Amino acid sequence: MDFEQMNNNKVYIAGTVLTEPKFSYEVFGEGFYEFMLEVKRLSDSTDEIPITISERLLNNQNISVGSKIAGNGQFRSYNKLVDEKSKLMLTVFIRELVPYDENENPNQIELTGFVCKEPIYRTTPFKREISDVLIAVNRSYNKSDYLPCIAWGRNAKFVRDLSVGDKLNLVGRIQSRIYQKKIGDQVEDKVAYEISLSKVSKVVLNNMADVSDFVQSNNFYAN
């Protein structure tokens, strides 16, 4: 992965391990494991974030339920077949473990990516303004991550007026949210993961490299 693409998607995450690491997949003989991490918010509430980590890092540190860890990595997406339908899955891919620091903001993400769907703007019954937007972030080997973001207040108004293809710099945190979905005659609780935005700025597309990056990030939608 080149330096620019590493900096397109930077995450720092820290919290308490909720589940034992479970084997997920293998690439070139290297195993990768998944577990859930409880991450504190500034309020008393928490988020439960899915984590993916290499066995190489697991072998260097004991990660078990109740242990506290911190790491740098990326927020990634992948498609998984669920009930014969393709579902977008999200996970924090840990690239390195770092010392746990209680004084550090435990949930930070910085992205540079492209708007790949028209933003959806709405207001709550309490007149809070919200905008949802899906961002495509380029990765190496002509891959991209598709990351749902949510903006509030003035940021929501700014996001509302964006267009597909706009390039953005984004800062925020990763959050989990429980919602209800009706399946047949039953209502089930589901969990959504998204980026709550604190800063949004638009980047001017001024060269063919930017256009090429946008085309790469939207290959998924062209198929």
Side-chain angles (χ1 to χ4, degrees):
M1 178 178 294
D2 64 38
F3 180 79
E4 181 179 356
Q5 288 173 328
M6 285 185 66
N7 281 279
N8 280 349
N9 186 338
K10 297 190 295 184
V11 171
Y12 170 81
I13 200 85
T16 304
V17 177
L18 284 179
T19 61
E20 292 289 345
K22 181 180 179 181
F23 179 80
S24 177
Y25 61 93
E26 184 177 296
V27 178
F28 299 122
E30 183 176 7
F32 292 86
Y33 289 73
E34 296 179 341
F35 62 92
M36 298 300 295
L37 189 71
E38 183 181 62
V39 182
K40 289 184 178 179
R41 295 190 185 185
L42 294 179
S43 61
D44 291 332
S45 59
T46 60
D47 293 293
E48 296 183 8
I49 307 299
I51 304 293
T52 300
I53 191 169
S54 165
E55 62 184 357
R56 172 177 47 84
L57 296 179
L58 280 178
N59 292 336
N60 293 330
Q61 181 169 329
N62 179 31
I63 295 180
S64 57
V65 173
S67 60
K68 294 183 181 297
I69 68 163
N72 296 316
Q74 297 180 310
F75 197 31
R76 294 185 177 181
S77 69
Y78 62 96
N79 289 301
K80 182 178 182 180
L81 198 62
V82 178
D83 296 329
E84 298 183 353
K85 293 182 179 180
S86 181
K87 182 179 180 182
L88 186 71
M89 309 294 290
L90 300 167
T91 186
V92 173
F93 184 87
I94 297 293
R95 302 187 62 85
E96 66 170 344
L97 293 169
V98 297
Y100 183 88
D101 183 354
E102 291 186 353
N103 296 317
E104 183 76 19
N105 179 350
N107 191 337
Q108 306 172 48
I109 183 168
E110 297 180 25
L111 301 172
T112 299
F114 297 89
V115 177
C116 59
K117 279 189 176 181
E118 290 291 341
I120 299 173
Y121 174 82
R122 64 189 191 280
T123 57
T124 70
F126 297 102
K127 305 301 181 182
R128 290 196 70 185
E129 296 171 293
I130 306 173
S131 285
D132 297 297
V133 61
L134 188 66
I135 301 297
V137 180
N138 289 334
R139 210 194 314 161
S140 57
Y141 306 111
N142 291 321
K143 293 184 179 180
S144 297
D145 294 296
Y146 300 91
L147 306 176
C149 301
I150 185 168
W152 304 80
R154 287 186 298 177
N155 283 336
K157 289 181 179 178
F158 179 82
V159 169
R160 174 191 62 188
D161 298 327
L162 295 172
S163 301
V164 171
D166 284 343
K167 187 177 183 180
L168 306 176
N169 289 329
L170 309 165
V171 177
R173 64 178 176 82
I174 302 167
Q175 68 180 21
S176 60
R177 173 174 54 84
I178 297 175
Y179 67 98
Q180 292 185 324
K181 182 176 182 179
K182 188 174 182 181
I183 301 176
D185 296 329
Q186 297 182 333
V187 176
E188 296 184 7
D189 286 341
K190 299 286 186 179
V191 181
Y193 304 102
E194 60 201 2
I195 300 166
S196 179
L197 299 175
S198 57
K199 295 181 181 179
V200 186
S201 60
K202 190 173 177 180
V203 180
V204 177
L205 298 179
N206 55 13
N207 55 50
M208 289 306 297
D210 282 330
V211 175
S212 176
D213 284 346
F214 173 62
V215 171
Q216 174 190 325
S217 70
N218 281 271
N219 283 340
F220 172 85
Y221 289 97
N223 295 333

